[in-house]
Amino acid sequence: MTVERTENPRAQIGVTGLAVMGSNIARNFARHGHTVALHNRSVAKTDALLEAHGDDGDFVRTETIDEFVAALQKPRRVLVMVKAGDATDAVIDELAHAMEPGDIIIDGGNALYTDTIRREAALRARGLHFVGAGISGGEEGALNGPSIMPGGPAESYEALGPLLESISAHVDGTPCCTHIGPDGSGHFVKMVHNGIEYADMQLIGEAYHLLRDALGYDAPKIAEVFSEWNTGTLESYLIEITADVLRQTDASTGKPLVDVIVDAAEQKGTGRWTVKSALDLGVPVTGIAEAVFARALSGSRTQRAAARGLASGTLGDKPTDAAQFTEDIRRALYASKIVAYAQGFDQIAAGSAEYGWNVDRAALATIWRGGCIIRAQFLNRIKEAYDADPQLPSLILAPYFREAIEAGIDSWRRVVATATMLGIPVPAFASSLSYYDGLRADRLPAALTQGQRDFFGAHTYERIDADGKFHTLWSGDRTEVRA
Ligand SMILES: NC(=O)C1=CN([C@@H]2O[C@H](COP(=O)(O)OP(=O)(O)OC[C@H]3O[C@@H](n4cnc5c(N)ncnc54)[C@H](OP(=O)(O)O)[C@@H]3O)[C@@H](O)[C@H]2O)C=CC1
Ligand SMILES: O=C(CO)[C@H](O)[C@H](O)COP(=O)(O)O
């Protein structure tokens, strides 16, 4: 370990923002043999990191931004890991004043992609390279290998890629880091990653709810079910940690921890951003939207307290074959999960087309196989599907996923019907099934919607048997005219 205040530019990378993520990524860089300059607004965090983990590698301690920048080899590379929003702008502004043309600023926080587009343009005008990099993996991933989604100029990736790839997770020898595309693309795909994370967590939550309230299983028993599921097609980080959380006993009460945690889910904003962006792009991300709304409903504590005891209507019988119903839930979870990922990848395709990013969905699935929160066995299947057909209109149409859904469709319907009859809310299971049924429908009721729009607003409609737009003279003689 070298801990010093120096003007010698010997650090290969600087990390500013040494909270949970930044401190662990700094240690990860150091453990991979890179000399790391450390900076944090309050020096206490820098010193705490050096005190506890200075032996991890070669660090350069700095207190001010000028000192920090002076410690870096040229072209200078600084990773910013601070709170998204105003704090990120403040730090970038301070760095930009101290850095020189050709230097690279990487924002590894959960920035809103439109902020990244703005920041990239502003810094480019000053000759600086700006890389908005989505980073996923939480505390453990940051230390041992996250999934990294860097956007920004391609030439920045040439200077940066090997460094970032060295600290990322690796699956089958392939780094979980690749250049995503220009400006805001890296943060856009990280945002959608988090949206999918929300949907996946909500689906797991609904499965847990059904096992608890439809089958009467306690938390340790449900943990066993999730552990068993983690040996099959559902194998994933989120299923694995679900079993761990359910197995945890609360020290003060002796009860399962999950039973003493308040049932009001919080959110920092990336799921909400995903849905807002999907609305703007016109992409139906129903699973993600239901997950965001389910968290909002859970957090509506006053309304929930007032509504407790409202009539349920006549409820149905609980399933009698627990093993069969458990298998139904597993299949419904897998089918719904396929829909959630399909919708997320559709949104990425739409964002990529809108902004001209040319995002490679197979490459993205490849780097999500390890390191990130949504890492899962079935990302290999997603990669294969986009490798086979990069223009695939929907993941659901790829042979593997089509067959997986067909194998689970009867279970999926039973689960949604049973949950409805038992009064157990399953918004993500139900909306995913409705999406699937909507997508495969021969004829949707949208024809009626178009007729109504034409009636009250002369908005016109298309006909199935002729080209062009038409309007019916609803307030006249009701004959049809070409619009
Ligand atoms: N936690 C997680 O699992 C993940 C987080 N992220 C993202 O990574 C980033 C860092 O996350 P995390 O490590 O949790 O830390 P936080 O989001 O809690 O941010 C804390 C850090 O931001 C610094 N900071 C806050 N305001 C300012 C400011 N105005 N000027 C300078 N520095 C400021 C703090 O400095 P000080 O110590 O002086 O207060 C501290 O270093 C965030 O954007 C987050 O969204 C991404 C993936 C996973
Ligand atoms: O980026 C992440 C993982 O990929 C974070 O863990 C994410 O911020 C958690 O989101 P939320 O607090 O909204 O549940």
Side-chain angles (χ1 to χ4, degrees):
M1 173 185 79
T2 309
V3 181
E4 64 194 38
R5 294 177 63 170
T6 180
E7 293 288 313
N8 295 329
R10 63 182 187 79
Q12 282 117 30
I13 180 90
V15 180
T16 181
L18 301 174
V20 175
M21 291 298 285
S23 60
N24 282 298
I25 290 182
R27 292 176 61 198
N28 188 346
F29 276 123
R31 287 178 175 190
H32 281 86
H34 308 295
T35 299
V36 188
L38 299 175
H39 176 267
N40 194 69
R41 177 178 60 175
S42 50
V43 184
K45 274 202 179 68
T46 312
D47 287 336
L49 169 57
L50 288 169
E51 173 71 24
H53 303 290
D55 289 343
D56 274 351
D58 192 18
F59 295 109
V60 182
R61 176 188 184 278
T62 73
E63 291 189 4
T64 66
I65 283 284
D66 285 340
E67 218 181 353
F68 177 59
V69 169
L72 295 163
Q73 290 176 352
K74 295 182 185 177
R76 301 180 183 91
R77 294 172 291 197
V78 169
L79 175 63
V80 179
M81 288 305 298
V82 302
K83 271 193 199 308
D86 293 346
T88 302
D89 273 320
V91 172
I92 289 172
D93 203 41
E94 208 182 345
L95 280 169
H97 279 101
M99 293 172 89
E100 292 173 324
D103 290 347
I104 306 172
I105 298 175
I106 310 137
D107 175 14
N110 276 335
L112 182 60
Y113 71 97
T114 46
D115 284 344
T116 304
I117 293 174
R118 167 179 60 78
R119 289 169 184 147
E120 199 275 331
L123 291 174
R124 185 162 17 95
R126 297 168 74 160
L128 291 164
H129 295 255
F130 184 66
V131 172
I135 300 183
S136 180
E139 184 174 5
E140 190 269 339
L143 181 62
N144 297 317
S147 176
I148 310 179
M149 300 146 246
E155 69 254 44
S156 308
Y157 194 77
E158 279 169 31
L160 210 54
L163 194 70
L164 296 181
E165 288 175 16
S166 73
I167 65 150
S168 75
H170 285 67
V171 174
D172 302 334
T174 305
C176 294
C177 172
T178 193
H179 183 233
I180 301 296
D183 55 64
S185 58
H187 277 137
F188 183 86
V189 301
K190 173 67 199 313
M191 174 189 76
V192 178
H193 164 286
N194 281 21
I196 295 172
E197 176 183 304
Y198 273 54
D200 216 338
M201 291 168 72
Q202 174 63 24
L203 291 166
I204 289 171
E206 290 176 17
Y208 154 70
H209 198 170
L210 286 163
L211 291 165
R212 192 190 68 189
D213 289 0
L215 293 182
Y217 288 1
D218 62 12
K221 172 96 175 150
I222 302 173
E224 277 173 38
V225 173
F226 276 98
S227 288
E228 169 62 26
W229 288 353
N230 201 39
T231 61
T233 49
L234 281 171
E235 184 186 338
S236 61
Y237 172 72
L238 283 171
I239 295 280
E240 180 191 331
I241 67 161
T242 299
D244 286 346
V245 172
L246 289 168
R247 218 169 261 130
Q248 183 73 15
T249 301
D250 173 47
S252 61
T253 61
K255 294 180 179 170
L257 177 67
V258 71
D259 292 342
V260 297
I261 294 178
V262 172
D263 62 343
E266 298 180 2
Q267 48 186 319
K268 286 191 180 145
T270 47
R272 199 163 44 229
W273 293 348
T274 311
V275 178
K276 283 184 182 173
S277 149
L279 288 172
D280 287 340
L281 292 166
V283 183
V285 291
T286 57
I288 300 170
E290 289 296 353
V292 173
F293 289 137
R295 288 198 193 190
L297 187 147
S298 76
S300 304
R301 298 193 200 198
T302 310
Q303 283 173 304
R304 285 182 60 202
R308 199 159 285 131
L310 286 183
S312 67
T314 307
L315 299 177
D317 294 329
K318 292 189 172 173
T320 48
D321 186 339
Q324 174 62 51
F325 194 60
T326 302
E327 176 59 9
D328 281 347
I329 298 171
R330 188 190 70 78
R331 287 171 186 245
L333 177 54
Y334 194 47
S336 303
K337 181 174 162 124
I338 291 168
V339 166
Y341 281 67
Q343 294 178 339
F345 275 87
D346 284 352
Q347 183 172 355
I348 286 164
S352 177
E354 172 78 14
Y355 292 100
W357 287 328
N358 207 16
V359 175
D360 178 343
R361 286 177 290 177
L364 189 58
T366 303
I367 68 163
W368 283 354
R369 293 180 308 162
C372 63
I373 303 298
I374 64 168
R375 62 185 181 263
Q377 260 304 323
F378 97 140
L379 277 154
N380 282 305
R381 304 285 90 76
I382 298 180
K383 170 187 166 359
E384 285 161 15
Y386 284 122
D387 275 341
D389 181 0
Q391 304 310 323
L392 191 64
S394 167
L395 261 187
I396 290 170
L397 300 172
Y400 170 84
F401 293 111
R402 191 180 177 140
E403 284 162 25
I405 289 181
E406 280 170 7
I409 185 75
D410 292 345
S411 292
W412 204 3
R413 292 194 194 288
R414 274 197 295 273
V415 166
V416 172
T418 306
T420 305
M421 288 314 296
L422 291 174
I424 298 172
V426 286
F429 277 163
S431 73
S432 303
L433 179 55
S434 284
Y435 172 86
Y436 175 74
D437 280 334
L439 206 58
R440 64 175 197 85
D442 278 341
R443 197 151 164 77
L444 291 167
L448 177 59
T449 308
Q450 285 295 82
Q452 292 163 326
R453 291 179 69 246
D454 191 55
F455 188 103
F456 62 67
H459 294 302
T460 76
Y461 50 85
E462 291 176 284
R463 293 183 58 97
I464 58 171
D465 54 3
D467 291 336
K469 297 270 190 183
F470 297 86
H471 169 58
T472 289
L473 301 170
W474 296 104
S475 49
D477 63 4
R478 301 208 168 180
T479 55
E480 185 180 74
V481 293
R482 279 189 177 272

